[in-house]
């Protein structure tokens, strides 16, 4: 660390020496009396690990961010009323200080409702059981608890001197979250609640502004902000407030049963540029790093364990190219315009249909944005006496109102192809296990197996019984069918969701699962009953509790009936079991025994190894894959369950839930408005087979993997894989702007610097070892699938090899001066694919 960096870090923590005043006016946030253009990105501290935080934050800073935005998760920090937890991944103070150490600001979104595809929207379940409580409305029991937790977090930040007014990094705070989307359902009580929340927040005297997102009627001095795929048309509710964008969705979240969401960077860059073109001065990517939903933290229901979000930094902490690099260039281009952006109002003119120019000019300072919002046609426009080519759905940025530094549809940044290198599970040779497969197991009992049970007449809603202490609730009943000779019949079950398994006389008879859109179940399961007593055991399970919607806390789960036996006595009789006396058991016996740690329980490794059987706990010992690359477990071969590595949950796994083919595409056109259903990939395949194991969860050897397999699988098919970069590519045309750092420089001969193709190996200890493809002319295809077009310079490969082989990075001018002209009068480009070693 350089001396200047040490001084900067120290200044964050010496409030008597370094204090910051944060305010706002109609144009921007004002920090120490100066308007600022700020680029922000969301990183949620519990969705990664403390060991990952510094690297994630540094990569964010390197990508051009000024601010890190995070929610605060109430149920994570106060799982039991009055008992707080800020350890490990929950160490909010450590995370905020890590951001400060990198010299970045923080936007702290306290909520305390967060949505965020997080279990129960971030609310602790004990809140549900407070007498008379109603969530997110003018309800005194709720307001008391909300104020108490909000005050707890604010006081914690103050104690550590983390607000900007104390010399810390926090420049913004948020109260409530997207309430305006559903507040009409609450009527006048919703309006009074929002007014109360605003007053409560500002009374806490943080010394920094508060915001409310998606809240058009946010009372002064609260700033109302925008969330969405596009916010260029957003207008604050007061002429005294700046235009802020708190959530620019980098794609969408992954569902069990859904395809992989992908948002092309050309569209994301277009949205960013349009926002600043139309007067915005603060925008945040949701997410910049999405991370992983460890434990049972997913909301939904049916939110997947991966929270990758197609973000610029992927789930594992690896830079996603070209998204990260192209956005970095966008940020640089916008910062080149900052002086003009903060000093002037945009003057908007229209250059033709779907063509728009915005000019910021004050004195000798001038910046311009030229936009083509047509989703199909490229256009050429005349602006200030010069001609500019604008691809469809793009924005060109001119920091001097003359020269284009960047067009959002033209990517200068390199792309990468990553792959997962699979290796079989390396068994720990020091393990005392004697099973040939090195797996041991314990059968989870079917039905009631614990002393702590409940018997009630009728069918009960699940969450009210479990309080979400477990995904699982047993509904058990013994029914005497002595007058029936024993036959095939049908068990009809209706449930609020989210999934169930039906056991008849100890044997699995059938299973059913819902989905995000239809979590409720209405199922007929063919069964065989015996003459006499029959045991019916129904295992109901949740897959993350609802996190969004008006009154979402009342939606419920579990088997509420009816439950009916159909077709008794040769099909002539039905028997409604709904109002009988049912016995209930919360959770699994293995959960109470602490089997997830792997250190307790009578593990069996002697008898026949059980495969494809429901309700089995499995355990094995293994050595970690070598190296520092991100590690995943491939759960192909398993059904559904939860996994723990050295006692730490890596989340629910469900590799058998296959994505539908709806809204899927093999290629994605960035042009035109993006929606959450556009550009889904990987359809017809399992939504998620790979599950992240952070390096900090692992030891070199002697690791323990425990699985609870709910529906049936074969753990011997499990494998580990490490994520590695396979190829580095770039494709730059002769009409691209130059590399952004050289945009306004002259060549030795006095001309302007032209476009160049730049390749960089992702790791500092790598160099370019081979060139897999190189063509200057009319190359076609994408990274990993380039091919020559109608013309190609025969000099290309030798020139690229000479410039790049043996170097960590190389830059090659894209012009006929470099390669000659293989096809005169034709627009040309250079495409290269290289490998690093």
């Amino acid at each position: 660390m350089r001396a200047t960096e040490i001084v900067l870090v120290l200044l964050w923590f010496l409030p008597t020496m370094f204090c910051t005043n944060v305010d706002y006016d109609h144009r921007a946030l004002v920090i120490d009396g100066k308007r600022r253009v700020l680029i922000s990105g969301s990183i949620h501290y519990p969705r990664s690990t403390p060991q990952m935080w510094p690297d994630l934050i540094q990569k964010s800073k390197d990508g051009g961010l000024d601010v890190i935005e995070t929610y605060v998760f109430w149920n994570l920090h106060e799982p039991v009323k009055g008992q707080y937890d800020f350890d490990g991944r929950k160490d909010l103070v450590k995370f905020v200080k890590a951001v400060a150490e990198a010299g970045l600001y923080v936007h702290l979104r306290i909520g305390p409702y967060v949505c965020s595809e997080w279990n129960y929207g971030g609310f602790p379940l004990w809140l549900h059981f407070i007498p008379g409580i109603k969530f997110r409305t003018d309800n005194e029991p709720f307001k008391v608890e909300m104020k108490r937790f909000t005050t707890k977090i604010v006081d914690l930040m103050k104690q550590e001197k983390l607000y900007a007014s104390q010399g810390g990094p926090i420049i913004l705070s948020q109260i409530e979250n997207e309430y305006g989307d559903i507040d009409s359902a609450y009527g006048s009580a919703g309006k009074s609640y929002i007014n109360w929340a605003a007053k409560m927040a500002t009374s806490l005297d943080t010394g920094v502004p508060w915001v409310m997102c998606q809240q058009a009627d946010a009372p002064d001095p609260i700033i109302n902000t925008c969330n969405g795929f596009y916010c260029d048309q957003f207008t604050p509710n007061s002429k005294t407030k700046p235009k802020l964008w708190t959530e620019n969705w980098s794609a969408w979240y992954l569902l069990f049963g859904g395809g992989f969401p992908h948002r092309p960077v050309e569209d994301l860059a277009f949205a960013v540029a349009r926002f600043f073109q139309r007067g915005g001065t603060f925008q945040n990517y949701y997410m910049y790093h999405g991370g992983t939903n460890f434990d049972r933290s997913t909301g939904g229901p049916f939110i997947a364990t991966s929270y990758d979000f197609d973000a610029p930094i992927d789930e594992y902490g690896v830079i996603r190219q070209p998204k990260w690099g192209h956005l970095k260039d966008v940020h640089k281009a916008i910062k080149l315009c900052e002086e003009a952006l903060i000093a002037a109002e945009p003057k908007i003119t229209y250059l033709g249909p779907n063509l728009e120019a915005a000019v910021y000019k004050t004195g000798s300072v001038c910046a311009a944005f030229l936009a083509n919002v047509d989703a199909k046609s490229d256009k050429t426009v005349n602006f200030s006496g010069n001609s500019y080519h604008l691809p469809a759905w793009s924005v060109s940025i001119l920091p001097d109102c003359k020269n284009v530094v960047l067009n959002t549809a033209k990517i200068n940044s390199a792309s990468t192809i990553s792959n997962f290198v699979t290796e079989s599970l390396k068994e720990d040779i020091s393990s005392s296990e004697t099973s040939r497969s090195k797996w041991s197991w314990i059968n989870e009992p079917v039905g009631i197996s614990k002393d702590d049970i409940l018997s009630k007449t009728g069918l009960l809603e699940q969450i009210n019984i479990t309080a979400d202490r477990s995904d699982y609730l047993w509904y058990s009943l013994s029914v005497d069918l002595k007058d029936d000779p024993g036959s095939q019949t049908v068990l009809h079950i209706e449930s609020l969701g989210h999934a169930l398994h039906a056991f008849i006389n100890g044997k699995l008879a059938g299973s059913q699962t819902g989905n995000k859109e239809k979590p409720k179940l209405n199922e007929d399961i063919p069964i065989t009953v015996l003459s006499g007593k029959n045991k019916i055991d129904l295992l109901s399970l949740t897959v993350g509790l609802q996190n969004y919607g008006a009154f979402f806390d009342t939606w419920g789960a579990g088997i509420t009936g009816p439950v009916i036996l159909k077709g008794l006595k040769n099909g002539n009789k039905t028997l409604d079991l709904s109002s009988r006396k049912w016995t209930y058991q919360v959770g699994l016996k293995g959960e109470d025994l602490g089997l997830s740690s792997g250190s307790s329980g009578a593990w069996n490794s002697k008898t026949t190894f059980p495969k494809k059987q429901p309700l089995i706990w499995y355990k094995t010992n293994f050595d970690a894959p070598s190296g520092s690359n991100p590690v995943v477990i491939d759960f192909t071969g398993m059904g559904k369950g939860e996994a723990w590595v050295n006692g730490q949950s890596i989340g629910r796994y469900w590799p058998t839930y296959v994505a539908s083919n709806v809204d899927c595409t093999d290629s994605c056109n960035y042009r035109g408005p993006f929606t959450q259903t556009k550009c889904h990939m990987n359809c017809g395949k399992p939504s998620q087979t790979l599950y992240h194991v952070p390096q900090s969860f692992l030891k070199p050897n002697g690791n323990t993997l425990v699985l609870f397999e709910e529906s049936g699988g074969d753990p011997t098919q499990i494998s580990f894989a490490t994520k590695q970069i396979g190829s580095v590519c770039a494709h730059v045309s002769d009409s691209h702007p130059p590399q952004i750092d050289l945009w306004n420089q002259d060549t030795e001969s006095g001309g302007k610097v032209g476009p160049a193709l730049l390749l960089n190996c992702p790791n500092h200890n790598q160099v370019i070892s081979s060139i897999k493809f190189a063509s200057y002319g009319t190359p076609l295809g994408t990274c990993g699938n380039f091919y020559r077009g109608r013309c190609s310079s025969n000099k290309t490969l030798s020139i690229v090899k000479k410039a790049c082989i043996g170097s960590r990075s190389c830059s090659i001018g894209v012009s006929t001066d470099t390669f000659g002209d293989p096809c005169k009068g034709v627009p040309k480009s250079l495409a290269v694919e290289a490998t690093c070693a």
Side-chain angles (χ1 to χ4, degrees), residues 577-689:
L577 306 175
S578 308
S579 59
R580 297 212 174 187
K581 191 172 185 178
W582 291 79
T583 302
Y584 299 88
Q585 176 183 297
V586 175
L588 309 171
K589 185 175 182 179
E591 290 177 314
D592 283 8
L593 293 174
L595 296 186
S596 61
S597 69
S599 60
S600 58
W603 293 90
N604 182 2
S605 59
K606 304 293 185 183
T607 58
T608 303
F609 183 63
K611 297 180 182 179
K612 305 296 183 181
Q613 296 181 24
L615 306 186
I616 306 284
W617 293 84
Y618 294 105
K619 182 181 77 165
T620 193
N621 297 290
F622 68 95
D623 293 339
S626 58
S628 59
N629 290 319
V631 176
V632 299
I633 298 178
D634 185 340
F635 276 92
T636 300
M638 298 303 290
K640 178 185 179 299
E642 188 174 354
W644 295 263
V645 173
N646 296 325
Q648 299 192 74
S649 173
I650 62 171
R652 299 182 183 93
Y653 65 83
W654 202 347
T656 53
Y657 208 148
V658 174
S660 72
N661 287 310
V662 177
D663 300 318
C664 256
T665 179
D666 292 330
S667 61
C668 180
N669 187 347
Y670 73 86
R671 300 168 182 86
F674 186 81
T675 68
Q676 60 262 41
T677 58
K678 182 180 179 182
C679 297
H680 276 196
M681 307 292 186
N682 203 48
C683 291
K685 300 177 182 179
S687 298
Q688 186 178 355
T689 58

Side-chain angles (χ1 to χ4, degrees), residues 376-399:
K376 296 181 179 179
S377 302
D378 294 0
K379 300 289 177 66
T380 298
V381 300
N382 187 279
F383 171 74
S384 293
N386 294 310
S387 181
Y388 298 90
H389 177 259
L390 296 176
W393 206 251
S394 77
V395 178
S396 285
I397 301 175
L398 293 66

Side-chain angles (χ1 to χ4, degrees), residues 716-827:
T716 63
Q717 294 185 35
I718 285 176
S719 61
F720 281 87
T722 56
K723 185 168 187 177
Q724 300 178 19
I725 302 299
S727 293
V728 180
C729 305
H731 190 180
V732 175
S733 74
D734 53 14
S735 65
H736 269 56
Q739 292 290 327
I740 196 164
D741 292 333
L742 306 174
W743 79 279
N744 205 22
Q745 292 187 17
D746 295 333
T747 63
E748 291 181 1
S749 61
K752 291 294 182 184
V753 172
L757 182 146
L758 178 65
L759 292 177
N760 268 300
C761 289
N763 296 324
H764 293 285
N765 59 349
Q766 291 181 319
V767 296
I768 297 169
S769 57
S770 67
I771 304 299
K772 298 175 73 174
F773 179 90
S775 175
Y776 175 75
T778 56
L780 301 168
T782 58
C783 186
N785 294 290
F786 287 133
Y787 58 97
R788 286 177 174 79
R790 295 180 63 183
C791 79
S792 179
S793 169
N794 55 18
K795 302 177 182 178
T796 310
L797 185 59
S798 61
I799 291 172
V800 171
K801 281 185 174 181
K802 183 177 180 180
C804 298
I805 295 292
S807 300
R808 186 179 172 230
S809 65
C810 59
S811 179
I812 306 162
V814 181
S815 73
T816 55
D817 291 341
T818 306
F819 298 100
D821 194 342
C823 40
K824 294 184 183 297
V826 175

